Amino acid sequence: MAPYQLPKDAVWLITGCSSGLGYALCEHLTKNTSSRVVATARKPSTLESLPTGPNILKLPLDVTSDSSIADALTTTLKQFGRIDVVVNNAGYSVMGDTETMDMDQARGVMEANFWGAVRVTQRVLPILRESNPKTGVKGGLVVQITSMGGRLAFAGNTFYHAAKFALEGFTEGLAKEMPPEWGIRFLCVEPGGVKTRYAETATSGFDTSARLEVYKNPNTPTNQLLKYKESPEATKNWAEPERVVQVLFEFVERGGEMPLRLPLGSDSWGMQKHALEQGIKELDQLKDVSNSTSGEEQLASIEFLK
């Protein structure tokens, strides 16, 4: 596949722009670039404070609704003619003990964070493959805002991690389905701690008074994580959202070979490196046990998957 090149007048469609990274990315693009921006949110009124002008389109988009997605994409094509970068950013988290987590809450996290991104991605593929070339631009880029939590799991966030792990697996598999000549690329952006409303909203729905007594020990992993997230001293070292989106834009703009994953933040990079090193160590320890179930021919038969 040819190296990626972002058009100067690229059309960015971004979900979940009412706050956080989505809002910051819209602001950065409209104020600092010649890009055209489609800012979306379930409630368009939350987008009023974003800049206005001919290069920004503010639309309602509920990622859990197929008709809402279709309407937003149709309006975008009517206005700008193509879509170059799709950023699946919409989503939220909820903390709690898995044993007593309300299943409606759990399904809601999966529906927004995973299935919402899947719905949008499915519907933009024919646009990137068939509509964009008619405007002289081949393919495009789908950016999935996952998380350090899409590669590593921590206590108290099991359904958030399940959604982000699923999105990373979905994206990795889908990326391998794309013939190079289509020019369609994918990027999983994996931020660590960012100073958005995430920490506040992730813990605000956690009714600690209703927990089972066995989970109330302050030394349990979930309670240690809660204490960390609620500590201003800890979160003051998190990244500024404006810096995160600036780095993301500059990374996409420089083009070249596009990796599948982009950790952002020293916490994300450092924790992932540590986990990979531990994983290699454990894998080596299990080599004899793992290989005892079959001969070398089994590995040789799937060499083509590499």
Side-chain angles (χ1 to χ4, degrees):
M1 187 181 295
Y4 180 72
Q5 185 173 1
L6 181 72
K8 291 295 183 184
D9 63 343
V11 179
W12 294 64
L13 185 145
I14 307 164
T15 69
C17 299
S18 60
S19 63
L21 289 179
Y23 189 94
L25 181 57
C26 289
E27 273 205 317
H28 180 80
L29 292 172
T30 53
K31 291 180 178 180
N32 302 289
T33 79
S34 55
S35 299
R36 294 171 289 173
V37 179
V38 184
T40 72
R42 284 189 303 112
K43 298 179 180 178
S45 59
T46 60
L47 307 174
E48 290 177 356
S49 58
L50 282 172
T52 58
N55 282 350
I56 184 168
L57 179 63
K58 304 174 188 180
L59 296 177
L61 197 164
D62 178 354
V63 297
T64 66
S65 165
D66 289 327
S67 60
S68 177
I69 295 169
D71 289 345
L73 294 178
T74 298
T75 304
T76 298
L77 291 179
K78 192 175 296 185
Q79 178 80 10
F80 293 132
R82 68 175 196 265
I83 301 172
D84 298 293
V85 185
V86 178
V87 182
N88 282 312
N89 172 70
Y92 64 96
S93 179
V94 58
M95 281 196 72
D97 301 315
T98 303
E99 184 177 344
T100 52
M101 176 65 69
D102 178 81
M103 284 296 100
D104 286 337
Q105 278 189 301
R107 291 189 184 95
V109 170
M110 293 295 296
E111 188 68 28
N113 293 22
F114 174 62
W115 288 112
V118 169
R119 285 188 180 92
V120 173
T121 301
Q122 276 191 319
R123 287 184 172 272
V124 300
L125 289 177
I127 295 173
L128 303 183
R129 184 182 64 245
E130 299 166 14
S131 301
N132 282 6
K134 296 176 183 177
T135 69
V137 174
K138 185 178 180 181
L141 175 65
V142 178
V143 177
Q144 315 284 29
I145 304 296
T146 67
S147 167
M148 172 172 69
R151 298 280 273 173
L152 309 170
F154 305 100
N157 286 279
T158 52
F159 294 101
Y160 174 80
H161 292 303
K164 294 301 188 181
F165 270 58
L167 183 55
E168 294 241 357
F170 163 81
T171 305
E172 183 173 337
L174 177 58
K176 292 178 178 178
E177 292 181 15
M178 300 290 105
E181 59 268 24
W182 291 359
I184 300 176
R185 293 167 172 82
F186 299 86
L187 180 66
C188 292
V189 177
E190 301 165 338
V194 183
K195 294 177 183 176
T196 65
R197 291 176 52 208
Y198 165 77
E200 174 190 336
T201 57
T203 58
S204 60
F206 195 164
D207 184 3
T208 54
S209 64
R211 302 174 77 189
L212 297 177
E213 198 64 34
V214 292
Y215 287 108
K216 292 183 179 180
N217 186 322
N219 294 320
T220 63
T222 298
N223 291 330
Q224 290 177 353
L225 190 60
L226 274 171
K227 183 178 179 181
Y228 167 77
K229 286 188 174 182
E230 293 170 351
S231 167
E233 284 301 305
T235 56
K236 76 176 184 181
N237 295 315
W238 287 13
E240 297 291 345
E242 294 79 12
R243 179 58 179 162
V244 173
V245 299
Q246 179 187 355
V247 171
L248 171 58
F249 173 76
E250 291 173 352
F251 183 82
V252 172
E253 184 185 37
R254 80 183 188 191
E257 296 299 323
M258 184 67 65
L260 180 64
R261 294 179 169 91
L262 174 64
L264 288 180
S266 59
D267 52 354
S268 181
W269 187 90
M271 290 293 287
Q272 290 198 50
K273 184 174 188 293
H274 174 73
L276 288 169
E277 290 170 343
Q278 290 297 110
I280 291 294
K281 182 178 178 181
E282 291 175 8
L283 199 59
D284 285 340
Q285 291 172 344
L286 295 170
K287 180 179 180 180
D288 292 341
V289 176
S290 299
N291 292 346
S292 67
T293 64
S294 65
E296 294 182 0
E297 296 80 10
Q298 184 173 16
L299 173 59
S301 70
I302 60 167
E303 283 288 325
F304 74 97
L305 292 176
K306 292 182 179 179

